[in-house]
Amino acid sequence: MRNALGLMLASVVSAVVIAAVWFWTSSPKADAAPPQTVNARKAEPLPVAAAKPSRPREDVEVTAALSAPAPAKPAAPVQQKTTCANPDALGVSRVVVVDTTGGPGFGFQQFKQLDFLTDKEVVLTFDDGPWPTTPSVLRSLAEECTKATFFPVGKHSTYHPEILKQVAAAGHTVGSHTWSHAHLDSKKLTEQQVKEEVEKGFSAIKMALGAAPAPFFRFPGLQHTPASVDYLGSRNIAIFSCDVDSFDFRAKDPAQIVNTVMTKLDKQGKGIILMHDLQKHTAAALPTLLRRLKAGGYKVVQMKAKAQLETMAEYDAVLVKDMKLPAVSSRPVSSVVQTVTE
């Protein structure tokens, strides 16, 4: 009896064990994976289709910029072009930039290699300033919204630096006409003296302007020597002669200057016009002359240099030493002399 009961109990236990094993092996496995598998999944990037993270802020701003105007940003200062108040002004038809390498020559009176002006084009040039008459010349040019090239004398630039600054501020091109207006073809001048006239003149103009001038040069009296031309070429300074000489320094009145220029110009059809801004008759004649140019269908071409001249330090120093001043342009007159009562 006891043996039969034991066999029955053993059978029950065995059945329970078998059932438990079957239940465990046949039920779904838990989602949890072994630790190393979980860690590996966390390190893997999510599939693109499965993960749609919120769009970063910068993407939102870029998208908004495509569909709506972006907030205005402060613009960098831009130099505004001066509007001409004269609707019928002579103006400037074109601006040319000159590469002065090797010292090219302009003006058919002496240099015939470079013919860059077309029919009815002129270049306005003025020698011998700055002078108290120069502001009148500047006003006439401004009224016609046109530009010129000035060839100041070095000494005059030290006398009237504020006037020369007005020339540059008005947008005109500034070259040089020697230091003392000496004729460089004179047999009395040595090569060293010729060099000094050239270099000291440019240094004086630079001192007056507070900036480098253009490497443009005109010989006083249009007189030059092969040696002086070679020297200017070695310094990459362009040489200016002329096509139409006004001979304004000989004129008895303004009308004579106008007639001289227009008669020659109508015959030649174009050219570089030579005048002098220190001549009173020239200053008086200029308004009429500019209107005659406009009426005759002439157009003004402004000449500028590709690069400004680098003056020679030794002549900059010589000029300061000779003048016994720190610098002509270092202090304006208004900061030295002021009116306290009238």
Side-chain angles (χ1 to χ4, degrees):
M1 184 68 177
R2 290 182 180 178
N3 291 337
L5 184 59
L7 289 173
M8 185 180 296
L9 181 59
S11 298
V12 172
V13 171
S14 178
V16 171
V17 170
I18 292 171
V21 170
W22 176 85
F23 179 83
W24 175 258
T25 56
S26 63
S27 65
K29 295 182 180 179
D31 289 339
Q36 63 270 24
T37 305
V38 173
N39 291 339
R41 285 182 179 178
K42 288 183 179 179
E44 294 174 358
L46 292 173
V48 175
K52 295 183 180 179
S54 61
R55 183 175 292 170
R57 180 175 177 81
E58 57 269 23
D59 288 351
V60 174
E61 292 176 351
V62 170
T63 303
L66 296 176
S67 59
K73 294 181 180 180
V78 177
Q79 186 176 0
Q80 299 295 328
K81 292 184 177 179
T82 303
T83 303
C84 183
N86 180 0
D88 190 41
L90 177 60
V92 174
S93 66
R94 66 184 176 118
V95 177
V96 298
V97 175
V98 179
D99 183 346
T100 62
T101 302
F106 299 96
F108 268 42
Q109 186 163 317
Q110 293 169 308
F111 307 104
K112 305 184 186 301
Q113 296 90 345
L114 299 171
D115 185 8
F116 71 98
L117 294 177
T118 61
D119 189 43
K120 291 286 187 174
E121 287 188 332
V122 299
V123 176
L124 304 174
T125 67
F126 296 90
D127 292 1
D128 293 356
W131 210 247
T133 48
T134 303
S136 177
V137 170
L138 294 176
R139 284 193 294 273
S140 297
L141 294 172
E143 287 170 2
E144 290 294 334
C145 304
T146 194
K147 304 297 180 185
T149 298
F150 287 76
F151 295 94
V153 174
K155 275 188 177 181
H156 294 176
S157 300
T158 66
Y159 301 158
H160 305 289
E162 70 287 352
I163 296 178
L164 191 59
K165 284 188 176 73
Q166 292 175 27
V167 174
H172 303 291
T173 304
V174 179
S176 177
H177 198 41
T178 72
W179 160 248
S180 68
H181 204 269
H183 282 217
L184 303 189
D185 66 327
S186 173
K187 295 181 180 179
K188 297 180 180 179
L189 296 180
T190 65
E191 288 188 11
Q192 180 59 34
Q193 288 173 320
V194 169
K195 179 180 179 181
E196 183 174 306
E197 277 288 333
V198 172
E199 299 297 348
K200 198 172 175 182
F202 275 114
S203 290
I205 293 162
K206 176 185 176 182
M207 180 180 289
L209 288 177
F216 289 177
F217 182 85
R218 180 175 272 153
F219 286 97
L222 303 180
Q223 300 301 312
H224 64 270
T225 63
S228 58
V229 170
D230 288 345
Y231 178 72
L232 290 171
S234 71
R235 290 280 283 124
N236 297 322
I237 297 172
I239 307 169
F240 282 73
S241 180
C242 71
D243 299 297
V244 175
D245 194 337
S246 67
F247 287 107
D248 51 359
F249 57 93
R250 298 178 183 173
K252 61 181 180 180
D253 56 36
Q256 185 177 353
I257 296 173
V258 175
N259 291 334
T260 297
V261 171
M262 294 308 302
T263 299
K264 292 181 177 180
L265 195 55
D266 288 340
K267 182 179 179 179
Q268 297 183 32
K270 63 180 181 180
I272 297 173
I273 304 173
L274 168 57
M275 295 172 280
H276 298 81
D277 53 314
L278 88 170
Q279 297 291 334
K280 291 183 179 180
H281 287 334
T282 302
L286 197 55
T288 301
L289 176 59
L290 296 178
R291 294 316 299 165
R292 287 282 298 275
L293 290 173
K294 173 69 175 180
Y298 290 97
K299 299 178 180 180
V300 174
V301 174
Q302 184 182 14
M303 300 181 71
K304 293 185 177 182
K306 183 178 180 180
Q308 300 304 91
L309 179 73
E310 184 176 344
T311 58
M312 299 181 73
E314 60 184 288
Y315 287 97
D316 293 344
V318 165
L319 184 64
V320 172
K321 182 179 178 181
D322 288 351
M323 295 183 66
K324 299 180 174 60
L325 292 172
V328 174
S329 59
S330 61
R331 294 183 64 192
V333 174
S334 61
S335 71
V336 179
V337 180
Q338 295 182 339
T339 300
V340 292
T341 59
E342 289 185 345

